[in-house]
Amino acid sequence: MPKIKIAPSILGADYGDLNHDLQRLEPFSDIFHVDVMDGNFVPNLSVGAPVVRCIKTTIPLDCHLMVLHPDRYIEAFAEAGAHTILIHAEASKNMKKDIEKIQSLGCDAGVVINPATPVSKIEKVLSLVDQVLVMSVNPGFGGQPFMAEVLPKITWIREHYPNLDISVDGGIDEKTASYARAAGANIFVAGSYILKADDPKKAAEKLRKAVQ
Ligand code: DX5
Ligand code: ZN
């Protein structure tokens, strides 16, 4: 089982004072999860590579591209300083090619599946990727309830790929994280639970305790 990691999703951060906001999260974050939304693949807009370029941190940035034509943006995110670039199986026209492009630029590559997408859609690329992200809400917005029906997908992937980083994103709190952990996830993306907490440090610590 790979290392357990807590990844605050910075969708709910203060983008007017982003570096200052992220500094307070650094001591208890293993990864910063950056949600990139194009208003087409998902019905919401967020930030692009120029914002990622402005982030000053030593914490690795996982860029979750919820965009159509992810291949068009891979270079920009690699140049902007992404550690991992995650593309959606539903959006990529050629997953193998996109994964190879990400890795050739020196980044880790991840593939993401929506709640309705079966593992069979990504089976062929699972041996190529550095991370697989199983969405536990329909992407587009923070604050949605966790969909427990995705857990069997995590179980299947963990059974077949014992060393792969498996992340889970959407509706993560202490309770749902422990379900995902039991299924085999090791990276826990949490937006509202950490960012909207009165004490984000305490929330992250509780989350870590629940999955350790
Ligand atoms: C949803 C995003 C998530 C989101 C998670 O489309 O991919 O990363 O920020 O937010 P919570 O934890 O509030 O569900
Ligand atoms: Zn995300």
Side-chain angles (χ1 to χ4, degrees):
M1 176 84 167
K3 200 169 171 268
I4 300 281
K5 291 179 180 170
I6 303 295
S9 159
I10 65 168
L11 190 59
D14 175 1
Y15 281 87
D17 196 6
L18 189 55
N19 283 315
H20 181 248
D21 213 22
L22 296 187
Q23 250 172 30
R24 77 193 168 110
L25 302 175
E26 278 186 358
F28 47 86
S29 302
D30 300 303
I31 290 170
F32 285 144
H33 179 93
V34 184
D35 284 312
V36 177
M37 305 181 184
D38 70 347
N40 282 295
F41 180 68
V42 288
N44 198 7
L45 277 170
S46 63
V47 298
V51 171
V52 173
R53 198 176 306 127
C54 294
I55 297 177
K56 295 186 186 77
T57 184
T58 52
I59 303 289
L61 302 174
D62 279 13
C63 294
H64 175 192
L65 304 193
M66 288 166 272
V67 304
L68 294 177
H69 309 292
D71 53 302
R72 295 181 186 168
Y73 307 99
I74 289 169
E75 258 163 32
F77 280 93
E79 273 168 24
H83 177 274
T84 303
I85 299 176
L86 297 135
I87 56 158
H88 267 265
E90 305 84 5
S92 170
K93 296 250 166 12
N94 186 333
M95 280 186 271
K96 188 169 183 281
K97 202 168 150 203
D98 291 349
I99 288 159
E100 281 168 359
K101 185 169 175 185
I102 293 168
Q103 291 168 336
S104 76
L105 293 165
C107 296
D108 279 358
V111 68
V112 191
I113 45 172
N114 280 340
T117 304
V119 179
S120 57
K121 172 102 180 165
I122 53 166
E123 225 179 313
K124 276 201 188 121
V125 298
L126 282 176
S127 60
L128 308 175
V129 291
D130 302 286
Q131 184 184 144
V132 54
L133 191 165
V134 177
M135 289 302 302
S136 42
V137 297
N138 284 308
F141 300 92
Q144 304 181 75
F146 182 82
M147 297 167 73
E149 57 266 40
V150 308
L151 291 171
K153 294 196 281 189
I154 298 176
T155 307
W156 189 94
I157 300 167
R158 177 56 72 216
E159 261 172 33
H160 291 80
Y161 294 87
N163 301 316
L164 185 61
D165 273 329
I166 304 178
S167 47
V168 58
D169 180 11
I172 289 295
D173 59 24
E174 283 165 86
K175 205 168 160 191
T176 58
S178 72
Y179 301 153
R181 166 73 172 91
N186 68 294
I187 299 177
F188 302 88
V189 178
S192 324
Y193 183 72
I194 294 178
L195 274 285
K196 287 204 179 351
D198 291 335
D199 185 344
K201 183 170 187 270
K202 221 183 214 166
E205 281 169 0
K206 276 208 257 173
L207 194 60
R208 200 180 289 275
K209 220 171 152 200
V211 295
Q212 220 105 57

